[in-house]
Amino acid sequence: MPPVPADTAAPQPPAAPRRDAAAAAAAAAPAGSEGRGEAEGAEPPAAGEERAVTAPLVGPPGPPKTAAPERETWTRQMDFIMSCVGFAVGLGNVWRFPYLCYKNGGGVFLIPYLLIVFVGGIPVFFLEVALGQFMKQGGIAAWNIAPLFKGLGLASMVIVFFCNSYYIMILVWGLFYLVHSLTDTLPWATCGHTWNTEQCAELFHLELCRNGSTNASAGTGPFNLSCTDLASKRSPVIEFWENKVLRLSGDLSEPGEMNWQMILCLVTTWVVVYFCIWKGVKSTGKIVYFTALFPYVVLILLLVHGVTLPGALGGIVYYLKPDWSKLAEAQVWIDAGTQIFFSYAIGLGALTALGSYNRFHNNCYRDAYILAVINSSTSFFAGFVVFSVLGFMASEQGVDISKVAESGPGLAFIAYPKAVTLMPLSPLWATLFFFMLLVLGLDSQFVGVEGFITGILDLFPQPGAGSLRRELTAALCCLVCCLIDLSMVTQGGMYVFQLFDNYSASGITLLWQAFWECVVIAWVYGADRFMDDVARMIGYRPLPFMKWCWAVVTPLVCVGIFVFHVVNYKPLTYNKTYVYPWWGDAIGWVLALSSMLCIPCTVLYKLLRCKGSLRERWQLLTTPIWGHHHLEYLTPEAEAKLLAPEPPKEKATLFETVI
């Protein structure tokens, strides 16, 4: 195993604050850093948080410098925890993890899942939050820690912009279903509506086909069907989804008409998102208490109801039944890794933005483990909720559970609505489920938008601009995304949605992003050096395991899963029947490469633009650009060197914040 890279760049802030006099040499620090610590006026530690007491900084000679405006911080630290829970714990935990667990060997799937959580999920999650907290900048400007690789920030902004654009469509569909749940009879429970076809049949049992006929109920009453006739029948749930909600056309090249009801839901959802984030983290931090906690209340209610249904136990057994032979299949490990990178919201820049609003001495190391436990536990718990209902549905229809098990939109808008129609008080449970779905996705959406806005505002800083600038930026961002979403409320909108979902924020783009984040921090900036920076914030060095993950293990995991995805690439399909045309896949790859190419293109551009030999360019462009808050932790000598006047060209290169 190669050695972990250490400090290779220019002056850095001093070592971690000391716990006591006897531990003065515990943290590595540059020469001349003894006796330095927190400056007067630094943020006080939270109650009960461990902190070292250090001597005040002795400022450099000369007139005092003008203090920079302090960055907005969370009102209380729990606001940060709730925001991370709201952002990272989303629909993927409820509709993707349980299906993957069932598909990949039941309880056995937890072995590769937990292993990759510790070597991939937690290290990158911690890296992004710690980077934002240390640099006090959003997803783009935080990479001033290694300016040559600022393309990482641009790439994350491109990915989160695409996510913000298409993810909200799930909320739009959820709102549409929620409105239609407020009736005495659920509209997808029966045939006979204007959107139903002649092939609509409300109840039918495939297992009776052995006898040559079955009894089904279609809009007019019971009648006998042969197995051939039965195979051509369509459930009213599917017809409501495809004919009423999507109004699905036959091809990507047939956009068709816009659905005015969906446009109304779209505008309503974006207005709600805007007013959740327009005032910044002070308002966002309060809203997430409801949006992050309420879904747990509904999940508990759904579980209590679900386990009382006939057949629920069989569904839970299917969910957890171990199949040890699955551990030998590569696909199981790939599914585990991909799910973790999705559900932990890694590579989007939003975690960096959320961390940037922390107090400098917040214990982000502890927070990373707490949030990992919450995220993975929610995924596991949601499996009991989902499979208790799927077990009931399989029992009622007399089919094997493999016939009804679904993931993604198929679970939320087909399988679960169908199960609800079989329950007593079905409108009540449908309303609860879709309201939970809406709230579960809402905080992921508005925190993602908050991360994007933070990155944009930090890219073009104007300290005296006030809140109006933020409000206008948020409005413009929401408006642009809403205009893009209009392409997804047409009859061909589902095809556009799948292009965004499978390419713009796919496993390939997130793995590429996570790989370069680890490489830049560990091998360019220095893993030991970043560990020292973390120690300055939290008062002690994290376990060495973390730096080895950044330097070796996590990049190898990312490369392995990335290569597997590329080798096993297949053209995109919808519903396993419609194959996208070549130009549709080409558009998808343009979406994917638009973020992936930001990193190499920015590196090349900066190297060509800089003057001097290649070694001098590398040295200059990998020298961190410290913020004003870092000056509290610099030695007088290092601070004087940092603040010394530079020739105009070098200064413009060193302190640039825009490519």
Side-chain angles (χ1 to χ4, degrees):
M1 186 175 289
V4 179
D7 184 1
T8 57
Q12 66 181 73
R18 294 171 294 175
R19 290 186 181 278
D20 50 52
S33 64
E34 296 80 12
R36 297 188 309 275
E38 181 183 355
E40 293 180 359
E43 300 150 349
E49 183 179 324
E50 289 187 294
R51 272 287 314 283
V53 179
T54 57
L57 174 72
V58 178
K65 297 176 293 299
T66 303
E70 290 189 6
R71 186 177 183 83
E72 189 178 17
T73 57
W74 302 105
T75 304
R76 56 186 69 84
Q77 197 52 39
M78 188 54 69
D79 295 357
F80 166 71
I81 298 291
M82 288 293 103
S83 295
C84 286
V85 169
F87 182 62
V89 178
L91 298 171
N93 301 73
V94 174
W95 73 16
R96 195 165 189 266
F97 176 86
Y99 177 79
L100 290 178
C101 199
Y102 150 75
K103 171 190 167 188
N104 293 309
V108 172
F109 182 69
L110 295 177
I111 296 175
Y113 178 83
L114 292 176
L115 184 62
I116 299 179
V117 161
F118 281 100
V119 302
I122 294 177
V124 182
F125 188 97
F126 172 53
L127 184 152
E128 292 192 1
V129 173
L131 177 65
Q133 182 172 314
F134 181 66
M135 295 300 292
K136 289 286 184 183
Q137 296 289 339
I140 299 179
W143 290 101
N144 282 335
I145 200 168
L148 179 61
F149 294 91
K150 210 166 182 179
L152 272 166
L154 294 173
S156 68
M157 289 297 99
V158 172
I159 296 173
V160 80
F161 175 76
F162 286 146
C163 275
N164 294 339
S165 298
Y166 84 86
Y167 186 86
I168 201 169
M169 286 306 304
I170 301 168
L171 309 186
V172 173
W173 297 328
L175 179 60
F176 189 83
Y177 270 86
L178 177 62
V179 172
H180 283 79
S181 298
L182 304 175
T183 59
D184 294 333
T185 303
L186 295 176
W188 57 83
T190 59
C191 297
H193 301 282
T194 56
W195 59 83
N196 292 126
T197 65
E198 294 180 355
Q199 300 302 316
C200 180
E202 292 175 17
L203 295 174
F204 47 87
H205 291 269
L206 293 175
E207 80 280 3
L208 299 178
C209 276
R210 289 189 288 265
N211 301 325
S213 66
T214 187
N215 191 13
S217 173
T220 56
F223 58 94
N224 290 327
L225 290 173
S226 67
C227 288
T228 304
D229 293 334
L230 187 62
S232 65
K233 292 297 178 181
R234 287 166 58 85
S235 163
V237 179
I238 295 177
E239 292 207 340
F240 181 83
W241 169 241
E242 293 188 350
N243 300 345
K244 175 65 174 177
V245 180
L246 300 181
R247 301 186 181 182
L248 199 62
S249 67
D251 193 87
L252 176 63
S253 61
E254 301 173 10
E257 299 176 352
M258 289 188 180
N259 185 340
W260 69 267
Q261 293 175 314
M262 300 303 293
I263 293 176
L264 190 60
C265 291
L266 175 67
V267 173
T268 302
T269 310
W270 269 118
V271 169
V272 172
V273 169
Y274 173 73
F275 283 107
C276 285
I277 52 97
W278 71 316
K279 290 295 184 183
V281 296
K282 298 296 184 183
S283 61
T284 303
K286 294 177 176 62
I287 296 169
V288 290
Y289 279 89
F290 173 75
T291 58
L293 296 177
F294 178 78
Y296 289 97
V297 176
V298 179
L299 282 174
I300 292 172
L301 289 175
L302 292 175
L303 178 63
V304 171
H305 176 68
V307 295
T308 63
L309 298 171
L313 181 60
I316 293 174
V317 169
Y318 261 90
Y319 172 48
L320 296 176
K321 185 179 180 180
D323 181 359
W324 296 97
S325 64
K326 291 285 187 178
L327 288 177
E329 298 180 12
Q331 184 64 50
V332 175
W333 295 81
I334 300 304
D335 283 345
T338 305
Q339 170 63 13
I340 287 162
F341 281 91
F342 270 116
S343 66
Y344 277 59
I346 288 169
L348 302 178
L351 294 175
T352 304
L354 295 178
S356 72
Y357 296 115
N358 281 337
R359 292 173 298 102
F360 188 78
H361 292 294
N362 173 62
N363 193 336
C364 52
Y365 183 58
R366 173 199 60 203
D367 292 347
Y369 281 98
I370 292 174
L371 291 165
V373 170
I374 294 173
N375 194 319
S376 297
S377 300
T378 303
S379 298
F380 186 64
F381 175 73
F384 291 93
V385 179
V386 170
F387 272 85
S388 64
V389 174
L390 293 181
F392 161 71
M393 187 166 70
S395 173
E396 288 292 301
Q397 293 184 340
V399 298
D400 189 83
I401 197 170
S402 62
K403 302 294 184 182
V404 298
E406 293 274 1
S407 70
L411 172 66
F413 302 115
I414 297 177
Y416 205 96
K418 183 185 291 185
V420 167
T421 62
L422 304 175
M423 299 178 187
L425 300 175
S426 55
L428 171 64
W429 297 110
T431 301
L432 270 178
F433 175 76
F434 287 112
F435 189 59
M436 179 204 69
L437 197 75
L438 198 61
V439 174
L440 197 62
L442 182 62
D443 49 11
S444 297
Q445 177 71 25
F446 71 67
V447 174
V449 176
E450 172 67 41
F452 180 77
I453 292 171
T454 299
I456 297 299
L457 293 178
D458 288 343
L459 187 61
F460 304 102
Q462 293 181 13
S467 62
L468 180 61
R469 177 169 173 259
R470 156 177 275 281
E471 294 167 13
L472 292 176
T473 304
L476 181 61
C477 171
C478 293
L479 178 62
V480 171
C481 290
C482 187
L483 292 175
I484 294 174
D485 291 332
L486 291 177
S487 65
M488 301 181 202
V489 295
T490 62
Q491 291 175 289
M494 188 59 178
Y495 303 122
V496 179
F497 174 85
Q498 275 212 318
L499 277 180
F500 275 82
D501 188 36
N502 285 272
Y503 287 100
S504 66
S506 64
I508 290 179
T509 57
L510 298 181
L511 290 164
W512 174 266
Q513 182 78 3
F515 169 80
W516 283 108
E517 286 180 2
C518 291
V519 166
V520 170
I521 291 296
W523 295 97
V524 178
Y525 182 75
D528 283 318
R529 186 181 185 188
F530 192 67
M531 292 282 277
D532 290 342
D533 295 337
V534 171
R536 292 183 188 96
M537 296 188 291
I538 68 176
Y540 60 92
R541 286 172 65 90
L543 293 173
F545 161 80
M546 197 62 70
K547 72 176 181 181
W548 287 109
C549 284
W550 293 334
V552 180
V553 182
T554 306
L556 289 178
V557 169
C558 293
V559 168
I561 302 176
F562 181 89
V563 171
F564 185 89
H565 274 294
V566 173
V567 170
N568 291 276
Y569 169 76
K570 296 177 182 177
L572 186 60
T573 61
Y574 172 72
N575 207 20
K576 300 180 182 179
T577 54
Y578 172 74
V579 180
Y580 278 66
W582 68 268
W583 55 268
D585 282 311
I587 293 174
W589 278 109
V590 169
L591 294 174
L593 294 174
S594 62
S595 63
M596 297 172 68
L597 291 179
C598 284
I599 302 169
C601 288
T602 304
V603 170
L604 185 62
Y605 171 81
K606 284 178 172 285
L607 286 174
L608 293 176
R609 185 169 177 259
C610 193
K611 304 295 183 183
S613 65
L614 185 61
R615 182 183 182 86
E616 291 171 342
R617 298 181 194 187
W618 175 269
Q619 184 68 25
L620 179 64
L621 293 173
T622 55
T623 300
I625 302 172
W626 301 123
H628 285 273
H629 67 284
H630 291 120
L631 302 186
E632 300 175 5
Y633 306 95
L634 288 169
T635 63
E637 297 82 4
E639 184 176 8
K641 182 176 180 180
L642 176 66
L643 298 176
E646 298 282 352
K649 289 185 179 179
E650 292 186 2
K651 183 173 181 180
T653 303
L654 180 61
F655 288 93
E656 68 172 344
T657 56
V658 185
I659 297 179

Short mmCIF file of all heavy atoms in Angstrom, two decimals, residues 258-288:
data_model
loop_
_atom_site.label_atom_id
_atom_site.label_comp_id
_atom_site.label_asym_id
_atom_site.label_seq_id
_atom_site.Cartn_x
_atom_site.Cartn_y
_atom_site.Cartn_z
N MET A 258 -48.92 19.75 -23.36
CA MET A 258 -48.66 19.91 -21.94
C MET A 258 -49.94 19.65 -21.15
O MET A 258 -51.04 19.94 -21.61
CB MET A 258 -48.14 21.33 -21.64
CG MET A 258 -46.74 21.60 -22.13
SD MET A 258 -46.12 23.20 -21.54
CE MET A 258 -44.50 23.20 -22.30
N ASN A 259 -49.74 19.12 -19.95
CA ASN A 259 -50.85 18.82 -19.05
C ASN A 259 -51.02 20.00 -18.10
O ASN A 259 -50.16 20.24 -17.24
CB ASN A 259 -50.55 17.52 -18.29
CG ASN A 259 -51.69 17.07 -17.42
OD1 ASN A 259 -52.57 17.84 -17.05
ND2 ASN A 259 -51.67 15.78 -17.07
N TRP A 260 -52.12 20.73 -18.23
CA TRP A 260 -52.26 21.95 -17.43
C TRP A 260 -52.36 21.64 -15.94
O TRP A 260 -51.94 22.44 -15.10
CB TRP A 260 -53.48 22.75 -17.90
CG TRP A 260 -54.81 22.11 -17.59
CD1 TRP A 260 -55.54 21.30 -18.40
CD2 TRP A 260 -55.56 22.25 -16.38
NE1 TRP A 260 -56.69 20.90 -17.78
CE2 TRP A 260 -56.74 21.48 -16.53
CE3 TRP A 260 -55.36 22.94 -15.19
CZ2 TRP A 260 -57.70 21.38 -15.53
CZ3 TRP A 260 -56.32 22.86 -14.20
CH2 TRP A 260 -57.47 22.08 -14.37
N GLN A 261 -52.92 20.49 -15.58
CA GLN A 261 -52.99 20.12 -14.17
C GLN A 261 -51.60 19.89 -13.59
O GLN A 261 -51.31 20.29 -12.46
CB GLN A 261 -53.85 18.87 -14.00
CG GLN A 261 -55.32 19.08 -14.33
CD GLN A 261 -56.12 17.81 -14.26
OE1 GLN A 261 -55.69 16.77 -14.77
NE2 GLN A 261 -57.28 17.86 -13.62
N MET A 262 -50.74 19.27 -14.38
CA MET A 262 -49.37 19.03 -13.93
C MET A 262 -48.58 20.33 -13.86
O MET A 262 -47.72 20.51 -13.00
CB MET A 262 -48.67 18.03 -14.86
CG MET A 262 -49.34 16.67 -14.93
SD MET A 262 -49.50 15.88 -13.31
CE MET A 262 -47.80 15.59 -12.93
N ILE A 263 -48.86 21.26 -14.79
CA ILE A 263 -48.20 22.57 -14.75
C ILE A 263 -48.57 23.30 -13.46
O ILE A 263 -47.71 23.91 -12.80
CB ILE A 263 -48.59 23.42 -15.98
CG1 ILE A 263 -48.03 22.79 -17.26
CG2 ILE A 263 -48.09 24.85 -15.82
CD1 ILE A 263 -48.46 23.51 -18.52
N LEU A 264 -49.83 23.22 -13.07
CA LEU A 264 -50.29 23.85 -11.83
C LEU A 264 -49.58 23.25 -10.62
O LEU A 264 -49.13 23.96 -9.72
CB LEU A 264 -51.80 23.70 -11.71
CG LEU A 264 -52.49 24.50 -10.59
CD1 LEU A 264 -52.27 26.00 -10.79
CD2 LEU A 264 -53.98 24.18 -10.56
N CYS A 265 -49.47 21.92 -10.61
CA CYS A 265 -48.75 21.25 -9.52
C CYS A 265 -47.27 21.64 -9.52
O CYS A 265 -46.66 21.82 -8.46
CB CYS A 265 -48.89 19.73 -9.65
SG CYS A 265 -50.55 19.11 -9.32
N LEU A 266 -46.68 21.76 -10.72
CA LEU A 266 -45.28 22.12 -10.84
C LEU A 266 -45.02 23.51 -10.28
O LEU A 266 -44.09 23.72 -9.47
CB LEU A 266 -44.86 22.06 -12.31
CG LEU A 266 -43.45 22.53 -12.65
CD1 LEU A 266 -42.42 21.59 -12.04
CD2 LEU A 266 -43.25 22.62 -14.17
N VAL A 267 -45.82 24.48 -10.68
CA VAL A 267 -45.64 25.86 -10.20
C VAL A 267 -45.85 25.92 -8.69
O VAL A 267 -45.08 26.58 -7.97
CB VAL A 267 -46.61 26.81 -10.93
CG1 VAL A 267 -46.56 28.20 -10.32
CG2 VAL A 267 -46.28 26.87 -12.42
N THR A 268 -46.86 25.23 -8.18
CA THR A 268 -47.12 25.21 -6.73
C THR A 268 -45.93 24.67 -5.97
O THR A 268 -45.51 25.24 -4.95
CB THR A 268 -48.36 24.36 -6.43
OG1 THR A 268 -49.49 24.88 -7.14
CG2 THR A 268 -48.66 24.35 -4.94
N THR A 269 -45.35 23.59 -6.46
CA THR A 269 -44.22 22.97 -5.78
C THR A 269 -43.01 23.90 -5.76
O THR A 269 -42.34 24.04 -4.74
CB THR A 269 -43.86 21.64 -6.46
OG1 THR A 269 -45.03 20.85 -6.61
CG2 THR A 269 -42.85 20.87 -5.62
N TRP A 270 -42.73 24.55 -6.89
CA TRP A 270 -41.58 25.45 -6.94
C TRP A 270 -41.78 26.68 -6.05
O TRP A 270 -40.83 27.18 -5.45
CB TRP A 270 -41.30 25.90 -8.38
CG TRP A 270 -40.33 24.99 -9.09
CD1 TRP A 270 -40.56 24.25 -10.20
CD2 TRP A 270 -38.98 24.74 -8.72
NE1 TRP A 270 -39.44 23.54 -10.55
CE2 TRP A 270 -38.45 23.83 -9.67
CE3 TRP A 270 -38.16 25.18 -7.70
CZ2 TRP A 270 -37.14 23.36 -9.60
CZ3 TRP A 270 -36.84 24.71 -7.62
CH2 TRP A 270 -36.36 23.82 -8.56
N VAL A 271 -43.02 27.16 -5.94
CA VAL A 271 -43.30 28.29 -5.04
C VAL A 271 -43.01 27.88 -3.59
O VAL A 271 -42.41 28.64 -2.82
CB VAL A 271 -44.76 28.77 -5.21
CG1 VAL A 271 -45.13 29.74 -4.09
CG2 VAL A 271 -44.94 29.43 -6.56
N VAL A 272 -43.43 26.68 -3.22
CA VAL A 272 -43.17 26.19 -1.85
C VAL A 272 -41.67 26.08 -1.61
O VAL A 272 -41.15 26.50 -0.56
CB VAL A 272 -43.85 24.83 -1.63
CG1 VAL A 272 -43.43 24.22 -0.29
CG2 VAL A 272 -45.37 24.98 -1.67
N VAL A 273 -40.94 25.52 -2.58
CA VAL A 273 -39.48 25.39 -2.45
C VAL A 273 -38.84 26.76 -2.28
O VAL A 273 -37.95 26.96 -1.43
CB VAL A 273 -38.89 24.65 -3.67
CG1 VAL A 273 -37.37 24.75 -3.68
CG2 VAL A 273 -39.32 23.20 -3.67
N TYR A 274 -39.27 27.73 -3.08
CA TYR A 274 -38.67 29.07 -3.01
C TYR A 274 -38.84 29.68 -1.63
O TYR A 274 -37.88 30.21 -1.05
CB TYR A 274 -39.30 29.98 -4.07
CG TYR A 274 -38.85 31.41 -3.96
CD1 TYR A 274 -37.56 31.78 -4.34
CD2 TYR A 274 -39.68 32.40 -3.43
CE1 TYR A 274 -37.12 33.09 -4.22
CE2 TYR A 274 -39.26 33.71 -3.30
CZ TYR A 274 -37.98 34.05 -3.69
OH TYR A 274 -37.54 35.35 -3.55
N PHE A 275 -40.04 29.59 -1.08
CA PHE A 275 -40.26 30.23 0.22
C PHE A 275 -39.66 29.43 1.38
O PHE A 275 -39.60 29.93 2.50
CB PHE A 275 -41.76 30.46 0.45
CG PHE A 275 -42.29 31.63 -0.33
CD1 PHE A 275 -43.09 31.44 -1.44
CD2 PHE A 275 -41.95 32.93 0.02
CE1 PHE A 275 -43.56 32.52 -2.18
CE2 PHE A 275 -42.42 34.02 -0.69
CZ PHE A 275 -43.22 33.81 -1.81
N CYS A 276 -39.19 28.23 1.09
CA CYS A 276 -38.44 27.48 2.11
C CYS A 276 -37.00 27.94 2.22
O CYS A 276 -36.37 27.79 3.27
CB CYS A 276 -38.46 25.98 1.79
SG CYS A 276 -40.02 25.16 2.12
N ILE A 277 -36.44 28.51 1.13
CA ILE A 277 -35.00 28.81 1.13
C ILE A 277 -34.68 30.28 0.88
O ILE A 277 -33.51 30.67 0.93
CB ILE A 277 -34.25 27.94 0.08
CG1 ILE A 277 -34.92 28.06 -1.32
CG2 ILE A 277 -34.25 26.49 0.48
CD1 ILE A 277 -34.31 29.02 -2.25
N TRP A 278 -35.67 31.12 0.63
CA TRP A 278 -35.36 32.47 0.15
C TRP A 278 -34.65 33.32 1.20
O TRP A 278 -33.91 34.24 0.86
CB TRP A 278 -36.63 33.17 -0.34
CG TRP A 278 -37.62 33.56 0.72
CD1 TRP A 278 -38.01 32.81 1.79
CD2 TRP A 278 -38.33 34.79 0.82
NE1 TRP A 278 -38.94 33.49 2.54
CE2 TRP A 278 -39.16 34.71 1.96
CE3 TRP A 278 -38.38 35.95 0.05
CZ2 TRP A 278 -39.99 35.75 2.36
CZ3 TRP A 278 -39.22 36.97 0.45
CH2 TRP A 278 -40.01 36.87 1.59
N LYS A 279 -34.83 33.04 2.49
CA LYS A 279 -34.19 33.83 3.54
C LYS A 279 -32.88 33.21 4.04
O LYS A 279 -32.28 33.73 4.98
CB LYS A 279 -35.15 34.01 4.72
CG LYS A 279 -36.33 34.93 4.42
CD LYS A 279 -35.88 36.36 4.15
CE LYS A 279 -37.07 37.29 3.96
NZ LYS A 279 -36.65 38.67 3.62
N GLY A 280 -32.45 32.10 3.45
CA GLY A 280 -31.18 31.50 3.86
C GLY A 280 -31.35 30.46 4.94
O GLY A 280 -32.45 29.99 5.24
N VAL A 281 -30.21 30.09 5.56
CA VAL A 281 -30.21 28.96 6.49
C VAL A 281 -31.00 29.24 7.76
O VAL A 281 -31.39 28.31 8.46
CB VAL A 281 -28.77 28.55 6.85
CG1 VAL A 281 -28.03 28.06 5.63
CG2 VAL A 281 -28.01 29.69 7.50
N LYS A 282 -31.23 30.49 8.09
CA LYS A 282 -32.01 30.78 9.30
C LYS A 282 -33.43 30.24 9.16
O LYS A 282 -33.99 29.70 10.10
CB LYS A 282 -32.04 32.29 9.56
CG LYS A 282 -30.67 32.92 9.82
CD LYS A 282 -30.02 32.39 11.09
CE LYS A 282 -28.70 33.12 11.37
NZ LYS A 282 -28.02 32.58 12.54
N SER A 283 -34.02 30.42 7.97
CA SER A 283 -35.38 29.90 7.77
C SER A 283 -35.36 28.42 7.41
O SER A 283 -36.19 27.64 7.88
CB SER A 283 -36.08 30.70 6.67
OG SER A 283 -35.39 30.58 5.44
N THR A 284 -34.39 28.01 6.59
CA THR A 284 -34.29 26.61 6.20
C THR A 284 -34.11 25.72 7.42
O THR A 284 -34.71 24.65 7.53
CB THR A 284 -33.11 26.41 5.23
OG1 THR A 284 -33.27 27.26 4.10
CG2 THR A 284 -33.03 24.97 4.78
N GLY A 285 -33.26 26.18 8.36
CA GLY A 285 -32.99 25.39 9.56
C GLY A 285 -34.21 25.14 10.41
O GLY A 285 -34.26 24.16 11.17
N LYS A 286 -35.21 26.00 10.32
CA LYS A 286 -36.44 25.81 11.10
C LYS A 286 -37.41 24.88 10.36
O LYS A 286 -38.06 24.03 10.98
CB LYS A 286 -37.11 27.16 11.37
CG LYS A 286 -36.29 28.08 12.27
CD LYS A 286 -36.96 29.42 12.44
CE LYS A 286 -36.21 30.31 13.42
NZ LYS A 286 -34.85 30.63 12.97
N ILE A 287 -37.50 25.02 9.05
CA ILE A 287 -38.45 24.23 8.27
C ILE A 287 -38.09 22.75 8.30
O ILE A 287 -38.97 21.88 8.35
CB ILE A 287 -38.52 24.75 6.83
CG1 ILE A 287 -39.05 26.19 6.82
CG2 ILE A 287 -39.38 23.86 5.95
CD1 ILE A 287 -38.91 26.89 5.49
N VAL A 288 -36.77 22.44 8.28
CA VAL A 288 -36.36 21.04 8.19
C VAL A 288 -36.75 20.24 9.43
O VAL A 288 -36.79 19.01 9.37
CB VAL A 288 -34.84 20.90 7.95
CG1 VAL A 288 -34.47 21.35 6.56
CG2 VAL A 288 -34.04 21.63 9.00
#
